[in-house]
Amino acid sequence: SSAQDLLPQVDLGNTFGALFIGVALSAVLFGLTNVQIFIYFQTHRDTKMTFFKLIVVWLWILDALHLALTIHCIYYYLVTNYANFNALTEIVWSLNLQVVFEFLIIHAVHSSYAYRIWIVSRGRSRVLPAVIICIVVVLSVGISILVVWVEYQCHTFQDMIPIEWTAYLTLSSMAFTDILIASSLCYLLATSRTGFSSTGSFITKLMGYIISTGCLTSVCSMIAVITCAVMPKNFIFLGLEFLVTKCKTDTFSQIMLTSDQCGQCGSPRTSRPPGHLPP
């Protein structure tokens, strides 16, 4: 068959092998996220349920389902259809569905950051936060609907070649949004200094973590974009995209955990900077 004729031209190592490595590393990051979430809830087991606690639970559920879908995807190709090259040319349902959960995770993370921007801006002009939130919502919702609709029109991997632009659009918008959110939070926190040394130390530490995590997710997104542009005919960029999604939840849980640890170590509850939300 024509599919069998293509077999010698396909390098399984940088296609489905890259997907396997991406899923394996995603599972490691998911385990790290589990540890951070466990510590977070152990630290605040005596406090009532809050917005950010609900977000953490919601993100954990989405992250677990996303990992399950990617595992099913790689199991379908490498185990269920072992040596069945015809099946390797088709897009399994779980590969498309994981894109939906990927965007749900991105929405949840960006929405929680946007909410924190709104809270931190309390007592000052809300024009900048409103503009930032609008940009985040438009980019997240608009691009996700477009990309999911386009990708669900594809039934084989050959169909995905003309829509490479969706990968560029998705990853570039993620990087831009991460940079926008990180810079906005740092600006608002920097202008929230009260003059107390303990509060100033807390804000400096928190800004450092925000910058580092924002840079991490942005760099990962841009590496995936470059990989897709340089090697569009393999799945290395898809494996990296799995990792970008896990980095989102991992860095968010790290920020939630670190902000509380910095607050407890660096300042009393009464000297927390404006807009800092207790969990």
Side-chain angles (χ1 to χ4, degrees):
S1 65
S2 58
Q4 292 173 336
D5 294 337
L6 291 173
L7 182 57
Q9 305 175 17
V10 175
D11 185 352
L12 295 179
N14 60 23
T15 53
F16 296 98
L19 286 183
F20 174 78
I21 294 174
V23 171
L25 294 178
S26 296
V28 174
L29 290 178
F30 179 69
L32 181 60
T33 301
N34 283 339
V35 173
Q36 293 179 153
I37 291 175
F38 175 78
I39 296 174
Y40 176 79
F41 276 97
Q42 281 294 104
T43 305
H44 305 289
R45 60 182 179 273
D46 296 327
T47 60
K48 64 179 182 179
M49 185 62 67
T50 63
F51 171 79
F52 285 105
K53 279 189 174 182
L54 292 174
I55 285 291
V56 169
V57 173
W58 176 238
L59 274 175
W60 182 86
I61 294 172
L62 292 177
D63 208 26
L65 292 174
H66 180 265
L67 180 63
L69 288 170
T70 56
I71 290 174
H72 174 271
C73 168
I74 204 68
Y75 189 89
Y76 173 84
Y77 288 121
L78 299 185
V79 179
T80 304
N81 288 284
Y82 173 75
N84 181 5
F85 189 73
N86 288 322
L88 299 185
T89 63
E90 301 173 352
I91 299 176
V92 66
W93 62 269
S94 54
L95 185 59
N96 276 334
L97 186 57
Q98 65 87 25
V99 177
V100 177
F101 281 86
E102 175 185 332
F103 280 116
L104 288 174
I105 291 171
I106 294 170
H107 294 338
V109 172
H110 287 171
S111 297
S112 62
Y113 282 135
Y115 177 69
R116 177 153 287 189
I117 288 174
W118 185 260
I119 296 300
V120 171
S121 64
R122 181 182 300 162
R124 67 182 83 183
S125 174
R126 291 287 179 88
V127 175
L128 176 62
V131 171
I132 294 171
I133 291 172
C134 288
I135 293 174
V136 170
V137 170
V138 170
L139 283 178
S140 298
V141 178
I143 291 177
S144 62
I145 293 174
L146 174 63
V147 170
V148 168
W149 182 82
V150 170
E151 292 201 2
Y152 262 90
Q153 309 306 309
C154 301
H155 303 289
T156 66
F157 288 108
Q158 192 71 22
D159 297 336
M160 296 183 67
I161 295 178
I163 63 165
E164 289 176 6
W165 57 270
T166 58
Y168 302 143
L169 182 63
T170 301
L171 295 167
S172 299
S173 65
M174 285 170 56
F176 172 76
T177 305
D178 289 338
I179 294 172
L180 177 65
I181 289 173
S183 58
S184 302
L185 276 173
C186 287
Y187 168 76
L188 291 170
L189 287 172
T191 55
S192 298
R193 295 181 183 274
T194 60
F196 294 102
S197 59
S198 58
T199 302
S201 175
F202 167 76
I203 290 177
T204 300
K205 290 179 181 179
L206 189 55
M207 287 172 59
Y209 280 108
I210 291 172
I211 292 173
S212 60
T213 54
C215 288
L216 174 63
T217 53
S218 299
V219 168
C220 289
S221 298
M222 294 314 299
I223 289 176
V225 169
I226 294 171
T227 305
C228 181
V230 175
M231 297 176 286
K233 294 185 178 180
N234 59 43
F235 296 159
I236 295 177
F237 74 94
L238 284 178
L240 290 173
E241 198 168 333
F242 292 164
L243 295 179
V244 171
T245 305
K246 289 294 176 286
C247 282
K248 284 282 185 184
T249 53
D250 188 49
T251 54
F252 177 78
S253 59
Q254 179 64 33
I255 280 289
M256 293 297 297
L257 184 60
T258 303
S259 63
D260 297 315
Q261 289 176 344
C262 288
Q264 291 167 5
C265 296
S267 63
R269 187 172 295 268
T270 56
S271 64
R272 289 183 177 182
H276 179 76
L277 296 178

